[in-house]
Amino acid sequence: MNCIIVDDEPLGREAIEMLIEKTPDLTLLGSFNSAATASKFVHGTRIDLIFLDIQMPGINGIEFAKTIPEKTFVIFTTAFSEFATESYEVDAIDYLIKPVKLERFHKAVDKALSYSILLKKGNSHNNIEQITDNHFFIKADRKIIKVYFNDIHFIEGLKDYVVMHTENQKIITAMNIKTIHEQLPKKMFVRVSKSYIINADRIDSVDNNTVYIGKNEIPIGTIYRDYFFNEFVTKKILSR
């Protein structure tokens, strides 16, 4: 994947450059100290992935991410964990806390690579075909796949697609996350952020900002938090 770095701190750029050098699947095309200097390059060159700092003078990372081409993935890099939820509101592929460890870096890159492959397989005519009490049929990867509600762990919005994370596979289809949410059972599936719908039956634990399902950490968006906790957490807490 062709990538660039956008970070106003020289040491931040150098750290990511060193990690990229250790990652054979990445080719670094440029390193920029501001969104303004990176913007022209991004719109004139095919970039697959941007490692983007959030807090920068002038145009910050969140605002810059809203302007990049649809097919370009973003991995945010920042020293402040409180920006995690906001980063997913602009369809970031992942969020790395500085100083970034190599193992965590590779996990984020692997996610970008796998999603890139999924998107290439995606079909603009994919859609849900039929819904029953416990399953639905969906067109994906030139097949019609039967998906049981219970098998879905969570659904992730990715650009103009959604990715269903099931018990045994990831299924991608060209659909708006709002559209698929409207067709799923509301007692089982709840939207917890702009980019995520979760199967409440699959929750392992929660804290104020995150839902944990297996090894997956799913951010809870501010505007979705109250409804999620009131309807799916607080009512089910055992009283003393």
Side-chain angles (χ1 to χ4, degrees):
M1 300 182 80
N2 292 329
C3 66
I4 65 169
I5 302 166
V6 184
D7 192 326
D8 65 305
E9 297 180 355
L11 290 178
R13 296 195 300 274
E14 183 179 341
I16 298 299
E17 286 173 8
M18 292 174 63
L19 293 171
I20 290 172
E21 288 176 359
K22 298 176 182 179
T23 311
D25 292 311
L26 296 179
T27 301
L28 182 63
L29 298 186
S31 185
F32 303 87
N33 63 4
S34 71
T37 57
S39 182
K40 185 175 180 180
F41 185 82
V42 167
H43 288 89
T45 308
R46 186 181 68 82
I47 306 296
D48 301 308
L49 178 63
I50 301 176
F51 294 96
L52 179 59
D53 187 25
I54 290 181
Q55 283 198 314
M56 296 185 293
I59 303 171
N60 65 37
I62 298 291
E63 291 302 316
F64 180 55
K66 296 176 182 178
T67 70
I68 67 171
E70 279 292 318
K71 294 184 179 180
T72 302
F73 291 135
V74 170
I75 295 177
F76 282 112
T77 60
T78 180
F80 303 96
S81 60
E82 59 266 29
F83 291 115
T85 300
E86 190 176 358
S87 74
Y88 287 109
E89 297 298 304
V90 290
D91 294 327
I93 200 77
D94 211 338
Y95 182 98
L96 299 175
I97 302 295
K98 299 175 182 177
V100 181
K101 297 181 179 180
L102 181 61
E103 181 180 356
R104 183 65 181 86
F105 182 82
H106 282 164
K107 182 179 178 181
V109 172
D110 286 346
K111 183 178 180 182
L113 287 166
S114 65
Y115 278 24
S116 177
I117 292 170
L118 284 172
L119 287 178
K120 289 176 182 178
K121 293 181 179 179
N123 187 308
S124 61
H125 300 293
N126 289 342
N127 213 328
I128 288 179
E129 290 292 294
Q130 179 184 356
I131 294 181
T132 69
D133 290 338
N134 65 354
H135 69 273
F136 58 86
F137 288 94
I138 191 166
K139 287 182 179 178
D141 196 19
R142 298 184 296 277
K143 294 181 290 186
I144 297 178
I145 301 172
K146 184 178 184 179
V147 182
Y148 286 95
F149 295 137
N150 288 336
D151 286 343
I152 299 172
H153 291 199
F154 62 94
I155 299 171
E156 182 178 6
L158 181 67
K159 306 293 183 179
D160 295 325
Y161 295 81
V162 293
V163 181
M164 281 175 277
H165 296 252
T166 72
E167 189 75 25
N168 301 309
Q169 62 183 323
K170 294 176 184 177
I171 302 169
I172 189 168
T173 186
M175 185 182 298
N176 183 284
I177 193 167
K178 179 181 178 182
T179 300
I180 194 169
H181 185 222
E182 289 173 346
Q183 299 183 67
L184 296 173
K186 297 299 185 290
K187 291 184 178 181
M188 181 180 293
F189 293 92
V190 55
R191 192 168 179 181
V192 294
S193 74
K194 179 176 178 289
S195 300
Y196 286 93
I197 298 166
I198 65 167
N199 182 344
D201 293 340
R202 290 289 186 171
I203 296 172
D204 291 314
S205 61
V206 300
D207 60 29
N208 192 49
N209 298 306
T210 310
V211 176
Y212 300 89
I213 299 178
K215 296 181 180 180
N216 300 285
E217 300 180 8
I218 299 166
I220 303 171
T222 303
I223 65 173
Y224 300 91
R225 181 177 288 112
D226 287 347
Y227 177 78
F228 168 64
F229 276 99
N230 290 339
E231 297 299 321
F232 290 87
V233 180
T234 306
K235 288 182 178 180
K236 297 182 180 181
I237 294 177
L238 291 178
S239 58
R240 294 183 178 180

